Amino acid sequence: MTPLLMSWRCVPCCRSGLSWCVTRMITQTVLRGVHKKNKKKLINHSPAASWEERLSDVCTPLWRMEYKEQLKYKLEALQKVLRDLCLTVKERGGQLPDYNGLFCLLQEVLPSPVIYGYRNKSTFSVNLGPNGDPKTVGNYVGNERDRSIVCVRTDHLLNIPVKHKLVAKCYEDYIRQSPLPPCLHFRDEGHWHEIIVRTNSNGDVMAIFTFYTKHLPQDKVLSHILSLKEYFTHGPGSVCNLTSLYCQQKNPATNQISPPLLLHGSPHLTERVLGLDLRVSPTTFLQINTPGAELLYTALGNLVKNRSKSILFDVCCGTGVIGLSLAGQFQEVVGIELVDDAVCDAQWNMTFNGVENCQFLVGRAEKLLPKLLSERNNTEHVVAVVNPPRAGLHPHVVRALRNCENVRTLIFVTCKPEGEAGRNLTELCCAKSSEQKILGESFVPQEAVAVDLFPHTTHCELALLLTR
C-alpha cells in the first residue's frame, strides 16, 4: 500500500476532532489524486501529430484499437475500479462476499449495437482554430488554464454522426460571414457561441445555438438571431433540414442563460426506445447512444425480475425512460427529477404511452426522497434505481436510501464508477456510522453489468445490483 493510499484509507478512522464534512473533503481530494496518479496514459503525442489526431486522442482515445480490444481494455479498467472499491469498503468496515477481490461479480462488457456515429447529441464550441481563425466550430484540444485551447473541426471523429458535422459546418460558414465577433469566453467580448445538435433515429435534427447579447440593443439582437434563422430555413443552411431551431441568450446583466427560444419547427424530438415513444426537449437528458441505451435498460429489467408487488423509485429519472421501461414489472413507479422540462417530458411520455402506474415529481432528490420514503409503510418492498450525473448523489440521498429499511434492492447506474459514484457506493455498503448518520443496514453488492454506450472512448455504463 502506497503512503498516499494508506493515508486516504485511514482518514475515516481518524477521530481527531475533524467534522464529517472536513473528513469527506479530505477523502475526496486524496481520492481524486489516487485516480489521477493511477490513470493510464493511452497516447503520447508525437510532435508531428496532426490536429485531427490530437482531437481524436482527446475525444475518442481508443480510436486506434480494434473494437474487441476496446471491450477488453474497458473490462480490465472496470475490474481495477471494482478491486479498489472492494478495498475501500472493507476499510470502512463493510462486509463483502468473496468475488476474487472484486466489489461484485462482473460480466463481460456488452458491446454497443452501433459503433460509429452513435451520438444523438453533440456540442460544438467556437474558438481559435489551428490557423488562428477565431470563428472555428469544433471541439477543444488543450485547456483554458494554460491558455492552450485550440478548436479543431470534428469531421474525422468516429462517434459523431454526419448530420451533426453538417450543422456544425453550416454554423461555422454563417458566423464567418457575420460582422459580429465570436464570444470565445463569456467574460470577453463577442456574440456567437456554442451550438448543440440533437437527432433521433428517424433522422430529425434539432439545433440550439447560444448568443451573447452584451453591448447590443435588443433590436440588433433580434435582427441577428432572425438572420441565422433565415440562413438555416431558406439559405445555404437549409441543407441541414432542421426539424427544430432554438436560440439561447446569455444576458450580461444577470449572467444567466435564458431558456431555449423556439425559432423554427417542432418544439420536441420524439425517440422510440424499447417500444416507448419518448418526447425529448432541448435541455433534457437522454443517453447519447440510443441502441446502446436499449441494451442497458433491458439489462436493468433482467436485474429486477419478479418485482410485481414492489414499488420502484427512479431517482434522477430524466425523461422517465428507466421507470417507464420497467413499469410493467412493478406495482408502482415514482420518478424524481430536478429539471422541470424533463419532468414535463416524463409526464407526457407516461400519458402518450398509456402507462398508468407512474408518477413523476420535480425537485431535488435530497429533499423529496427522504420525505417520500418516510411516508411509505415499512412492510412495502421498495426497489430504487439511481442514475446520477457525474457529480454523484447528494449525501442526503445516500443517507435516505441507506436508512430506509424497506429499500431492499438498489440499482446504481454510472458511467464513471471511479469518481464520485465510488464514494456513493462506499457509503451505501460500508459499516454503520452514527457520525455520518448512516444508520441503516449495509447494502451488499451482488453483480454488475457493463454496457458500452461510448465506443472509442474510455467510458462505459455500469449497472450494479445491491441488496440487503
Side-chain angles (χ1 to χ4, degrees), residues 171 179-184 186 188-194 210-216 221:
Y171 185 60
L180 296 181
C183 176
L184 304 186
F186 275 141
D188 298 331
E189 302 297 323
H191 303 281
W192 300 114
H193 200 55
E194 69 180 19
T210 303
F211 187 84
Y212 196 38
T213 62
K214 189 173 183 180
H215 300 321
L216 275 184
V221 171

Short mmCIF file of all heavy atoms in Angstrom, two decimals, residues 171 179-184 186 188-194 210-216 221:
data_model
loop_
_atom_site.label_atom_id
_atom_site.label_comp_id
_atom_site.label_asym_id
_atom_site.label_seq_id
_atom_site.Cartn_x
_atom_site.Cartn_y
_atom_site.Cartn_z
N TYR A 171 -23.00 26.19 -39.46
CA TYR A 171 -22.94 27.24 -38.44
C TYR A 171 -21.63 28.02 -38.56
O TYR A 171 -21.62 29.25 -38.48
CB TYR A 171 -23.06 26.60 -37.06
CG TYR A 171 -23.13 27.58 -35.91
CD1 TYR A 171 -24.14 28.52 -35.83
CD2 TYR A 171 -22.17 27.55 -34.89
CE1 TYR A 171 -24.21 29.42 -34.76
CE2 TYR A 171 -22.23 28.43 -33.82
CZ TYR A 171 -23.25 29.37 -33.76
OH TYR A 171 -23.31 30.25 -32.71
N PRO A 179 -20.87 39.95 -39.42
CA PRO A 179 -19.98 41.03 -38.96
C PRO A 179 -19.69 40.97 -37.46
O PRO A 179 -18.77 41.64 -36.98
CB PRO A 179 -20.77 42.30 -39.31
CG PRO A 179 -22.20 41.87 -39.28
CD PRO A 179 -22.21 40.46 -39.80
N LEU A 180 -20.46 40.16 -36.72
CA LEU A 180 -20.28 40.09 -35.27
C LEU A 180 -19.14 39.14 -34.92
O LEU A 180 -18.98 38.08 -35.54
CB LEU A 180 -21.56 39.59 -34.60
CG LEU A 180 -22.80 40.48 -34.71
CD1 LEU A 180 -23.97 39.84 -33.96
CD2 LEU A 180 -22.52 41.88 -34.19
N PRO A 181 -18.34 39.49 -33.92
CA PRO A 181 -17.26 38.60 -33.48
C PRO A 181 -17.81 37.45 -32.65
O PRO A 181 -18.93 37.53 -32.12
CB PRO A 181 -16.37 39.51 -32.62
CG PRO A 181 -17.33 40.53 -32.07
CD PRO A 181 -18.35 40.77 -33.15
N PRO A 182 -17.04 36.37 -32.52
CA PRO A 182 -17.47 35.26 -31.67
C PRO A 182 -17.23 35.57 -30.20
O PRO A 182 -16.40 36.42 -29.86
CB PRO A 182 -16.57 34.11 -32.14
CG PRO A 182 -15.31 34.79 -32.54
CD PRO A 182 -15.73 36.11 -33.16
N CYS A 183 -17.97 34.90 -29.35
CA CYS A 183 -17.74 35.01 -27.91
C CYS A 183 -16.86 33.83 -27.51
O CYS A 183 -17.36 32.72 -27.30
CB CYS A 183 -19.07 34.99 -27.16
SG CYS A 183 -18.87 35.00 -25.37
N LEU A 184 -15.56 34.07 -27.42
CA LEU A 184 -14.64 32.98 -27.11
C LEU A 184 -14.77 32.54 -25.66
O LEU A 184 -14.59 31.39 -25.33
CB LEU A 184 -13.21 33.41 -27.42
CG LEU A 184 -12.96 33.91 -28.85
CD1 LEU A 184 -11.48 34.18 -29.08
CD2 LEU A 184 -13.47 32.90 -29.87
N PHE A 186 -17.27 33.76 -22.07
CA PHE A 186 -18.37 34.63 -21.68
C PHE A 186 -17.89 35.90 -20.99
O PHE A 186 -18.60 36.90 -20.95
CB PHE A 186 -19.34 33.88 -20.75
CG PHE A 186 -20.36 33.06 -21.48
CD1 PHE A 186 -20.73 31.83 -20.99
CD2 PHE A 186 -20.94 33.52 -22.64
CE1 PHE A 186 -21.69 31.07 -21.65
CE2 PHE A 186 -21.90 32.77 -23.32
CZ PHE A 186 -22.26 31.54 -22.82
N ASP A 188 -15.46 37.67 -22.04
CA ASP A 188 -14.88 38.53 -23.06
C ASP A 188 -15.97 39.14 -23.93
O ASP A 188 -17.15 38.91 -23.74
CB ASP A 188 -13.90 37.73 -23.92
CG ASP A 188 -12.73 37.18 -23.09
OD1 ASP A 188 -12.41 37.83 -22.09
OD2 ASP A 188 -12.19 36.14 -23.46
N GLU A 189 -15.54 39.91 -24.93
CA GLU A 189 -16.47 40.47 -25.90
C GLU A 189 -16.89 39.39 -26.89
O GLU A 189 -16.38 38.29 -26.90
CB GLU A 189 -15.80 41.64 -26.64
CG GLU A 189 -15.30 42.74 -25.72
CD GLU A 189 -16.43 43.42 -24.98
OE1 GLU A 189 -17.51 43.60 -25.57
OE2 GLU A 189 -16.24 43.77 -23.81
N GLY A 190 -17.83 39.74 -27.76
CA GLY A 190 -18.24 38.81 -28.80
C GLY A 190 -19.65 38.29 -28.56
O GLY A 190 -20.25 38.50 -27.50
N HIS A 191 -20.18 37.57 -29.56
CA HIS A 191 -21.59 37.21 -29.54
C HIS A 191 -21.87 35.75 -29.91
O HIS A 191 -22.67 35.10 -29.25
CB HIS A 191 -22.36 38.15 -30.46
CG HIS A 191 -22.19 39.59 -30.09
ND1 HIS A 191 -22.87 40.19 -29.05
CD2 HIS A 191 -21.37 40.56 -30.61
CE1 HIS A 191 -22.51 41.45 -28.95
NE2 HIS A 191 -21.59 41.71 -29.87
N TRP A 192 -21.29 35.24 -30.98
CA TRP A 192 -21.60 33.87 -31.40
C TRP A 192 -20.90 32.88 -30.50
O TRP A 192 -19.69 32.95 -30.30
CB TRP A 192 -21.19 33.65 -32.86
CG TRP A 192 -21.88 34.55 -33.81
CD1 TRP A 192 -21.31 35.52 -34.58
CD2 TRP A 192 -23.28 34.58 -34.12
NE1 TRP A 192 -22.26 36.15 -35.35
CE2 TRP A 192 -23.48 35.59 -35.08
CE3 TRP A 192 -24.39 33.84 -33.67
CZ2 TRP A 192 -24.74 35.88 -35.59
CZ3 TRP A 192 -25.64 34.14 -34.18
CH2 TRP A 192 -25.81 35.15 -35.13
N HIS A 193 -21.67 31.94 -29.95
CA HIS A 193 -21.10 30.97 -29.02
C HIS A 193 -21.43 29.56 -29.51
O HIS A 193 -21.64 29.35 -30.70
CB HIS A 193 -21.62 31.24 -27.61
CG HIS A 193 -20.78 30.65 -26.52
ND1 HIS A 193 -19.43 30.91 -26.41
CD2 HIS A 193 -21.08 29.81 -25.51
CE1 HIS A 193 -18.94 30.26 -25.36
NE2 HIS A 193 -19.93 29.58 -24.81
N GLU A 194 -21.49 28.59 -28.62
CA GLU A 194 -21.59 27.19 -29.00
C GLU A 194 -22.94 26.85 -29.64
O GLU A 194 -23.92 27.58 -29.53
CB GLU A 194 -21.38 26.29 -27.77
CG GLU A 194 -22.51 26.34 -26.77
CD GLU A 194 -22.27 25.44 -25.57
OE1 GLU A 194 -21.11 25.07 -25.33
OE2 GLU A 194 -23.25 25.14 -24.86
N THR A 210 -26.22 29.37 -28.91
CA THR A 210 -26.16 30.34 -27.82
C THR A 210 -25.62 31.67 -28.35
O THR A 210 -24.58 31.69 -29.02
CB THR A 210 -25.27 29.83 -26.67
OG1 THR A 210 -25.75 28.57 -26.22
CG2 THR A 210 -25.26 30.81 -25.51
N PHE A 211 -26.33 32.74 -28.02
CA PHE A 211 -25.96 34.08 -28.49
C PHE A 211 -25.75 34.98 -27.27
O PHE A 211 -26.61 35.06 -26.39
CB PHE A 211 -27.07 34.65 -29.38
CG PHE A 211 -26.72 35.94 -30.04
CD1 PHE A 211 -26.00 35.95 -31.23
CD2 PHE A 211 -27.12 37.16 -29.51
CE1 PHE A 211 -25.68 37.15 -31.85
CE2 PHE A 211 -26.81 38.36 -30.12
CZ PHE A 211 -26.08 38.36 -31.30
N TYR A 212 -24.59 35.65 -27.23
CA TYR A 212 -24.24 36.55 -26.14
C TYR A 212 -24.68 37.96 -26.51
O TYR A 212 -24.25 38.50 -27.54
CB TYR A 212 -22.73 36.49 -25.91
CG TYR A 212 -22.25 37.06 -24.60
CD1 TYR A 212 -22.97 36.89 -23.43
CD2 TYR A 212 -21.04 37.75 -24.54
CE1 TYR A 212 -22.51 37.41 -22.23
CE2 TYR A 212 -20.56 38.26 -23.34
CZ TYR A 212 -21.31 38.09 -22.19
OH TYR A 212 -20.85 38.60 -21.00
N THR A 213 -25.55 38.56 -25.69
CA THR A 213 -26.19 39.83 -26.06
C THR A 213 -25.43 41.08 -25.62
O THR A 213 -25.91 42.19 -25.82
CB THR A 213 -27.60 39.88 -25.45
OG1 THR A 213 -27.50 39.84 -24.02
CG2 THR A 213 -28.45 38.73 -25.94
N LYS A 214 -24.25 40.93 -25.05
CA LYS A 214 -23.54 42.06 -24.46
C LYS A 214 -23.35 43.22 -25.45
O LYS A 214 -22.90 43.02 -26.58
CB LYS A 214 -22.18 41.59 -23.96
CG LYS A 214 -21.43 42.62 -23.12
CD LYS A 214 -20.18 41.99 -22.52
CE LYS A 214 -19.45 42.98 -21.61
NZ LYS A 214 -18.23 42.38 -21.02
N HIS A 215 -23.69 44.46 -24.99
CA HIS A 215 -23.48 45.70 -25.73
C HIS A 215 -24.32 45.80 -27.01
O HIS A 215 -24.04 46.66 -27.85
CB HIS A 215 -22.01 45.90 -26.09
CG HIS A 215 -21.10 45.97 -24.92
ND1 HIS A 215 -21.43 46.62 -23.74
CD2 HIS A 215 -19.85 45.44 -24.72
CE1 HIS A 215 -20.43 46.51 -22.89
NE2 HIS A 215 -19.47 45.80 -23.43
N LEU A 216 -25.30 44.94 -27.18
CA LEU A 216 -26.16 45.03 -28.35
C LEU A 216 -27.57 45.43 -27.92
O LEU A 216 -28.13 44.82 -27.01
CB LEU A 216 -26.24 43.69 -29.09
CG LEU A 216 -25.15 43.34 -30.10
CD1 LEU A 216 -25.50 42.01 -30.77
CD2 LEU A 216 -24.98 44.42 -31.15
N VAL A 221 -30.05 42.47 -31.53
CA VAL A 221 -30.03 41.06 -31.13
C VAL A 221 -31.04 40.28 -31.96
O VAL A 221 -30.73 39.24 -32.54
CB VAL A 221 -30.34 40.92 -29.62
CG1 VAL A 221 -30.55 39.45 -29.25
CG2 VAL A 221 -29.23 41.52 -28.78
#
